[in-house]
Amino acid sequence: MNSVIQLMQQHRSIRRFKPDQIPPDQVDLILRSAQSASTSSNVQAYSIIGVTDPAMKKELAILVGNQPYVEQCPLFLVWCADLLRLRHSCEREQVEMVHGTMENFIVATVDVALAAQNAAIAAESLGLGIVYIGGIRNHPREVSRLLQIPELVYPVFGMCLGYPDQDPDRRPRLPLEAVYHQNVYSTQRFDQAIEEYNTVMREYYRHRTGGKRDTTWSQEMSEKFRQATRQHMRSFLEEQGYGFE
């Protein structure tokens, strides 16, 4: 196992950070690493908003679901899918861009996710910790107003960055057999793999909480997906110019 693979397999979400600021040259390295990610047809359909202002981070911490580490981390990155820059480029060439399509929505969303994961790995290689914040989609209109996000741009998720002030256990993942299919998709191993994972996760939660949490992965997933969440996202995306034709 080389050092890159070892780093990737040791990933943990960090939710408590030291007050130390991240040196500008390291932030630059992280952002340039993000830009080196794969991108569909070189469209680079994303933008990154770095938030360091204490008042703005405090408001964002509330909007994402009262998550205090958003306020506490020295740098909060908001990762946005972005078609606006592409429309501007088309206008320079006197071409009207077709943007209200599902394909363009997918391309922009995938592009920003790939870039963010590059940034996460770069940050961890520098001794920093990160945690993704999907709660940025709890109140996307309010987030967009606060960050002055224009049409054809939408916030996909946030990311806290900083020096770790905790040493959490690594959360186990599903057995590889549950996610890797050879040649054709198969559900034959689902029951066994999920049963094995439930056992592992129950022990993980018991250890992590000192016995206060006794649940399994499938129980948690059944609670999570028994009802729809963030149903406001479709209308918000349509308002931002992301169609679903």
Side-chain angles (χ1 to χ4, degrees), residues 40-71:
S40 178
S41 302
N42 200 35
V43 298
Q44 303 171 72
Y46 61 88
S47 287
I48 312 158
I49 302 173
V51 183
T52 57
D53 179 86
M56 294 179 71
K57 286 193 297 176
K58 183 175 183 178
E59 188 167 351
L60 285 168
I62 296 171
L63 290 172
V64 303
N66 297 309
Q67 300 187 59
Y69 27 94
V70 171
E71 181 180 359

Side-chain angles (χ1 to χ4, degrees), residues 116-245:
Q117 187 60 16
N118 255 30
I121 294 170
E124 290 176 342
S125 77
L126 295 170
L128 297 163
I130 72 103
V131 62
Y132 283 96
I133 306 295
I136 206 78
R137 301 187 301 278
N138 287 355
H139 299 284
R141 293 177 179 87
E142 291 83 349
V143 169
S144 295
R145 282 196 291 269
L146 177 65
L147 302 180
Q148 299 181 32
I149 294 174
E151 64 173 341
L152 295 182
V153 184
Y154 87 92
V156 184
F157 45 73
M159 179 190 289
C160 297
L161 274 84
Y163 293 99
D165 195 24
Q166 62 176 166
D167 187 24
D169 292 334
R170 179 180 176 274
R171 183 175 302 191
R173 296 299 197 247
L174 280 161
L176 183 60
E177 294 78 12
V179 299
Y180 178 66
H181 306 261
Q182 195 163 12
N183 295 317
V184 296
Y185 193 103
S186 173
T187 63
Q188 290 183 358
R189 297 183 179 179
F190 275 10
D191 283 335
Q192 180 180 347
I194 292 173
E195 185 63 30
E196 291 175 3
Y197 191 52
N198 279 343
T199 301
V200 171
M201 288 304 295
R202 170 168 271 148
E203 181 58 33
Y204 167 79
Y205 286 133
R206 285 174 174 170
H207 174 73
R208 182 177 178 179
T209 64
K212 296 179 181 178
R213 186 173 176 181
D214 185 14
T215 186
T216 68
W217 180 76
S218 60
Q219 287 173 341
E220 287 201 326
M221 295 304 103
S222 64
E223 284 298 313
K224 180 177 178 61
F225 290 99
R226 68 189 302 174
Q227 58 186 2
T229 58
R230 296 176 183 146
Q231 291 182 282
H232 55 263
M233 281 302 299
R234 185 183 183 99
S235 61
F236 168 71
L237 289 169
E238 290 172 345
E239 291 167 12
Q240 291 299 102
Y242 283 80
F244 297 94
E245 297 175 7

